[in-house]
Amino acid sequence: MEIDSKNSSFFNHKSVMVDQIIYSINNFPQQLDKKFVGIDATLGGGGHSFELLNKFPNLQMIGLDQDPYAIEAASNKLNIFKNRIKIIKTNFSDFKPEDKVSFVIADLGFNSNQIETAERGFSFQKDGPIDMRMNPTQKTKAEDLIKNLTENELADLIYKYGEEKLSRKIARKIKNDIQIKGSYSGTKELAYAIGGCFPPKQRYRKIHPATRTFQALRIAVNKEIEVLDKLLNNASSWLVPSGIISIISFHSIEDRKVKNYFKNDERFFNLTKKPIVPSEDEVKINKRSRSAKLRIAQLK
Ligand SMILES: C[S@@+](CC[C@H](N)C(=O)[O-])C[C@H]1O[C@@H](n2cnc3c(N)ncnc32)[C@H](O)[C@@H]1O
């Protein structure tokens, strides 16, 4: 895959709820005048880490991402703080810090570069291979799922991770098409086939009819729910007592998981009974932020 990472506009991800993330760190009862360490589990373009390093002069960060293009973009952006950040290309579910840290932030899901780069195959607006891997060295792509799963398995996946009511009809259509022609030419043809499963009135609404199915495939390809479970389970062993975990999620399946975990795990105080959401002003300038929900918990 050829992606022009030399082009400075190649990575233009706008970080969401930066002030609220800073707030979550500023208000925890540790001494910010001494050296402290935090983990950014989803570094992306380095936006949140940049703002945190800028705000807290005594902060050292560890930044993780599984996407090499994000790692490259973040390394460039954070070069001025290079003595205060260690950047590691890894899935956060495989990571274990050497020492305990004061906070962990995770801004889940995909970055803007992934969705805007047709070759990554996340988009139904830009035609690309049916891929959707955040880590391009991972074996399974979305195309493998639609080819190898049975119709029933595919329908269950679309329902579970996309909460799509037409999951059975969509799975039947996809499997029929694959049987006839082997595969689709790309994401646009797949999206068109999914759109055709909807009654005409529903095909041209604000939200594209393929949105939920694409979300489901992306979640499955990247095992997003399994790795979130691992992150939530591991976080207590990463944090010092009173350490903070702040998680931004973008869909109800993730948010429910974070909410229940923070509510029921006795090792944590749940600091957000209701999630923190972006301001109207932020949503106006960054449409992607509209579904963001931030939840914060503190290790006892
Ligand atoms: C929403 S973006 C983060 C943007 C970042 N906070 C910023 O301000 O620039 C999410 C990032 O997390 C990465 N990611 C998602 N799941 C991951 C995982 N399990 N392990 C490591 N990185 C992951 C994605 O590759 C993507 O770059």
Side-chain angles (χ1 to χ4, degrees):
M1 189 190 323
E2 273 291 311
I3 293 176
D4 183 10
S5 59
K6 305 268 177 325
N7 175 350
S8 62
S9 65
F10 101 100
F11 214 102
N12 57 0
H13 183 91
K14 252 199 202 88
S15 307
V16 303
M17 287 198 277
V18 171
D19 291 344
Q20 295 87 331
I21 285 285
I22 290 177
Y23 165 89
S24 75
I25 312 301
N26 220 359
N27 281 274
F28 77 98
Q30 294 238 356
Q31 288 181 345
L32 302 179
D33 54 345
K34 291 203 187 125
K35 185 187 143 193
F36 67 111
V37 183
I39 295 177
D40 183 345
T42 53
L43 191 59
H48 282 117
S49 284
F50 184 95
E51 298 298 336
L52 288 168
L53 287 161
N54 211 16
K55 170 83 184 169
F56 302 111
N58 296 314
L59 171 63
Q60 300 274 335
M61 295 272 317
I62 299 168
L64 317 175
D65 206 293
Q66 60 178 330
D67 179 342
Y69 303 105
I71 291 285
E72 187 180 340
S75 304
N76 289 335
K77 187 176 176 88
L78 298 169
N79 194 35
I80 56 164
F81 297 116
K82 64 172 185 282
N83 299 328
R84 290 171 53 208
I85 183 157
K86 188 171 173 191
I87 295 179
I88 304 170
K89 185 195 160 302
T90 182
N91 193 304
F92 56 61
S93 65
D94 297 329
F95 182 70
K96 192 168 180 277
E98 281 166 21
D99 298 305
K100 297 205 183 232
V101 300
S102 295
F103 70 86
V104 177
I105 60 167
D107 172 18
L108 300 171
F110 53 87
N111 64 53
S112 302
N113 179 256
Q114 288 162 341
I115 194 93
E116 279 159 20
T117 306
E119 294 88 335
R120 304 292 305 263
F122 287 87
S123 171
F124 42 74
Q125 269 145 2
K126 296 184 177 184
D127 199 23
I130 303 169
D131 188 319
M132 304 191 195
R133 292 168 301 168
M134 292 187 196
N135 169 5
T137 61
Q138 177 192 302
K139 212 168 139 241
T140 306
K141 306 174 190 176
E143 186 169 23
D144 300 318
L145 291 184
I146 61 173
K147 277 186 173 165
N148 298 336
L149 293 179
T150 64
E151 183 183 318
N152 260 339
E153 286 167 342
L154 185 59
D156 287 348
L157 182 154
I158 296 170
Y159 187 73
K160 188 169 162 204
Y161 294 145
E163 301 182 321
E164 172 58 73
K165 291 196 188 92
L166 295 183
S167 57
R168 308 248 145 238
K169 194 169 174 191
I170 293 169
R172 195 173 320 126
K173 167 74 178 153
I174 293 176
K175 292 307 289 186
N176 276 345
D177 284 352
I178 286 178
Q179 204 177 16
I180 294 164
K181 53 185 176 184
S183 191
Y184 294 102
S185 60
T187 51
K188 269 198 153 175
E189 197 191 2
L190 171 62
Y192 186 77
I194 297 167
C197 297
F198 285 74
K201 260 205 230 151
Q202 288 178 28
R203 278 179 214 162
Y204 304 103
R205 289 192 173 159
K206 249 207 218 143
I207 306 275
H208 190 287
T211 305
R212 284 186 292 272
T213 302
F214 269 56
Q215 172 184 301
L217 290 172
R218 194 202 78 222
I219 290 177
V221 166
N222 297 290
K223 299 195 168 48
E224 291 177 34
I225 304 303
E226 290 92 322
V227 294
L228 175 59
D229 265 331
K230 277 199 187 165
L231 177 68
L232 290 166
N233 276 319
N234 291 343
S236 62
S237 68
W238 292 6
L239 289 167
V240 296
S242 303
I244 292 284
I245 175 161
S246 305
I247 300 197
I248 300 174
S249 61
F250 289 86
H251 55 75
S252 53
I253 306 167
E254 275 169 358
D255 181 55
R256 222 175 293 134
K257 195 160 264 306
V258 177
K259 174 180 154 187
N260 289 333
Y261 194 86
F262 286 176
K263 197 169 129 199
N264 300 326
D265 189 315
E266 290 181 346
R267 292 168 294 185
F268 285 98
F269 293 117
N270 181 15
L271 300 186
T272 42
K273 300 233 156 57
K274 290 239 159 74
I276 299 172
V277 294
S279 66
E280 279 177 27
D281 285 349
E282 177 168 4
V283 174
K284 260 187 223 149
I285 49 175
N286 182 8
K287 237 176 69 191
R288 200 181 96 84
S289 71
R290 69 182 182 274
S291 45
K293 291 199 168 111
L294 167 64
R295 294 188 184 268
I296 308 168
Q298 180 174 41
L299 193 67
K300 288 183 177 165

